[in-house]
Amino acid sequence: MNFWEQLTDGLQMHEVLLFALGSLFFLVLLFLLIRYALKREKLNVLLFFFIIPVVMIGWPSIAKIQINEAGIALENTLHKYESNPNDTETRGALQAHVEELENRGVKNPKTLINIARANYMLGNDSDALHTIDKIPEDVKEDLGADDLKTTILVTQDIERKLQQAEHAPTADNLEILRISKDQLLNKAANNIRLHQYVKKSDSLIQKER
């Protein structure tokens, strides 16, 4: 992302216009101020008009600060939820942060990967995959986007096999589930969702023996 994209990331169109026009108006007034000063003319009228660009620039600037704060809050809440996924209050806060940033249409890759991870933890796999697709290819590896995508697909696979075995607990379905479950034991140790599916799979397999 270039400087302008970073500066306006997450801002609505009217906020970007306010920021751009306000900056332009400020520069024009600054030019006139210097010109009036050189000609020793009164500056009172010009100084009054500086309020307008300050307000025009200030509004989107406040919105940008709020977006940055929401991004930080999302990351912190995500870490908190990963350590305690049974906390309904944290889950609600995480969902709220995700919705706020998604509605803002942020494009910062670091924010997008956090949104994708949050959606995955919340069980919104399709939303997580859609967000991963928005991340530029040249930074996906550094951000771990491809690894996250693989994890999501693996999670969907074990979830699908678990549901199939629950619906039809035949010997073949249970054996397929057991093999898939055993292959995920290492990954499940550090992944709450996978751990839950492995635990449910173990329980079902033991029950049907």
Side-chain angles (χ1 to χ4, degrees):
M1 298 179 69
N2 57 41
F3 176 74
W4 176 252
E5 290 174 335
Q6 292 178 1
L7 192 63
T8 60
D9 184 37
L11 295 180
Q12 303 298 323
M13 181 59 68
H14 68 278
E15 293 170 333
V16 175
L17 287 174
L18 274 176
F19 183 81
L21 293 175
S23 299
L24 180 61
F25 193 16
F26 181 83
L27 291 175
V28 170
L29 287 174
L30 189 61
F31 171 76
L32 291 175
L33 184 67
I34 295 172
R35 185 174 180 181
Y36 274 43
L38 292 175
K39 290 184 176 181
R40 299 180 181 274
E41 297 181 13
K42 292 184 179 180
L43 305 177
N44 296 352
V45 177
L46 280 178
L47 292 175
F48 173 79
F49 280 105
F50 270 96
I51 298 175
I52 299 176
V54 168
V55 172
M56 293 175 69
I57 297 171
W59 187 341
S61 296
I62 293 173
K64 182 61 179 177
I65 292 172
Q66 292 174 338
I67 293 168
N68 291 339
E69 290 178 345
I72 295 172
L74 170 66
E75 186 172 2
N76 293 335
T77 307
L78 177 58
H79 291 321
K80 185 177 179 182
Y81 185 68
E82 286 174 333
S83 63
N84 185 16
N86 296 320
D87 188 341
T88 55
E89 183 177 346
T90 303
R91 180 184 177 86
L94 185 62
Q95 183 67 58
H97 293 318
V98 168
E99 290 176 357
E100 179 182 359
L101 290 168
E102 285 181 334
N103 291 336
R104 277 288 181 174
V106 294
K107 297 179 181 178
N108 186 295
K110 292 182 179 179
T111 303
L112 288 176
I113 193 64
N114 284 331
I115 292 175
R117 286 197 178 100
N119 271 321
Y120 169 67
M121 288 302 299
L122 293 168
N124 306 324
D125 293 341
S126 59
D127 292 336
L129 290 171
H130 180 66
T131 301
I132 290 174
D133 289 338
K134 296 179 182 179
I135 300 175
E137 292 293 334
D138 59 336
V139 297
K140 278 187 175 181
E141 184 176 355
D142 292 338
L143 294 175
D146 291 332
D147 291 338
L148 176 59
K149 185 174 183 177
T150 300
T151 299
I152 294 171
L153 296 177
V154 168
T155 302
Q156 290 179 326
D157 181 66
I158 187 67
E159 182 182 19
R160 182 171 56 254
K161 290 174 180 176
L162 176 59
Q163 290 175 347
Q164 185 175 359
E166 287 175 333
H167 179 70
T170 63
D172 287 343
N173 286 342
L174 290 172
E175 179 62 15
I176 292 172
L177 179 63
R178 184 193 65 77
I179 293 173
S180 297
K181 180 263 300 183
D182 289 345
Q183 292 175 341
L184 295 177
L185 289 177
N186 291 332
K187 288 185 177 181
N190 298 315
N191 186 305
I192 297 298
R193 281 192 64 191
L194 284 178
H195 178 74
Q196 291 173 342
Y197 288 130
V198 167
K199 187 176 180 181
K200 287 181 180 179
S201 299
D202 269 331
S203 178
L204 179 62
I205 293 169
Q206 293 295 329
K207 177 182 176 183
E208 298 297 333
R209 277 183 176 178

